[in-house]
Every structure is written in structure tokens, then in C-alpha cells.
Amino acid sequence: MGEITQRGLIDGSAGDHDDGPANAPDSLDDLKALVASGRVEFPDRMRQIGTYAFRHPHEVAFLSIQELAKVTETSPSSVHRFAKMVGFSDYGALRKLFQRHIAGLLRDN
């Protein structure tokens, strides 16, 4: 899996805070496409969370919000805001997307 190299997660641009897209992505590929599109600007803490999530999807599928905050050196409220920014109601809904991704990989093997 390649690194996401869109403006908001990699180059350090933060821009104005956006409330996120109207609908949550249906798959990890859809989430990556949303991030790569540049439609959502990611402040530094959100970038840390997103970068970690794409590099470690197997971990994100099972980490609690507190655990993800700890490994990304952010806060649970930042993790929650990241989930909301990309269209989910909360971190639990985002984590389910990662769980579905992992389940799909297991089915394919």
C-alpha cells in the first residue's frame, strides 16, 4: 500500500477548517480518494492521524480512540474531529470502515 501524498496530509498545508464531506466514504479506497482530492484541508494534528491510519490500517481497525490518540501523539477529541472531517459520525464509524477493509482482505485470501 503506497503512501498518501495529497496536500493536506503530507506537505504541511493546513488551510481553513472544513466540516468534511456530506457522506462518509464506503471503503478505504474511497477514503484515500477523498483525502487525495484535496476537498478537505487537514490541520497538523489531523494530518498526523490520517498519515498513521493509512500506514497502519490493521492497527486502526482495532485501536480505541484513546489508543489511537496516544500513538499519534494527539488527543481523543482530535481523533473524533478527524473522523467527522472525513464524513463519519464518530471514530467508531471510521474504525468500522477499517474493520471492513481488513475483513475484505481476509476473505480475498
Side-chain angles (χ1 to χ4, degrees):
M1 178 182 320
E3 180 179 50
I4 298 298
T5 58
Q6 74 85 33
R7 189 175 75 176
L9 287 183
I10 300 302
D11 78 1
S13 65
D16 293 330
H17 190 90
D18 187 357
D19 288 334
N23 297 313
D26 292 325
S27 69
L28 190 56
D29 287 338
D30 289 346
L31 178 58
K32 288 179 181 180
L34 169 66
V35 169
S37 75
R39 289 189 337 219
V40 180
E41 294 290 331
F42 293 91
D44 290 344
R45 286 190 173 96
M46 304 302 119
R47 213 174 25 258
Q48 285 173 234
I49 295 162
T51 299
Y52 185 89
F54 290 131
R55 289 181 180 165
H56 306 281
H58 290 78
E59 292 179 29
V60 174
F62 301 102
L63 291 176
S64 70
I65 194 169
Q66 292 84 3
E67 291 166 331
L68 182 57
K70 184 175 182 177
V71 298
T72 58
E73 298 178 355
T74 62
S75 67
S77 62
S78 292
V79 174
H80 178 76
R81 280 193 306 275
F82 175 82
K84 301 273 294 176
M85 284 181 74
V86 295
F88 293 92
S89 60
D90 58 21
Y91 172 65
L94 173 64
R95 188 171 63 180
K96 286 179 185 175
L97 176 113
F98 281 86
Q99 291 170 350
R100 285 193 310 269
H101 172 74
I102 301 307
L105 294 176
L106 292 173
R107 275 192 305 271
D108 292 343
N109 289 328

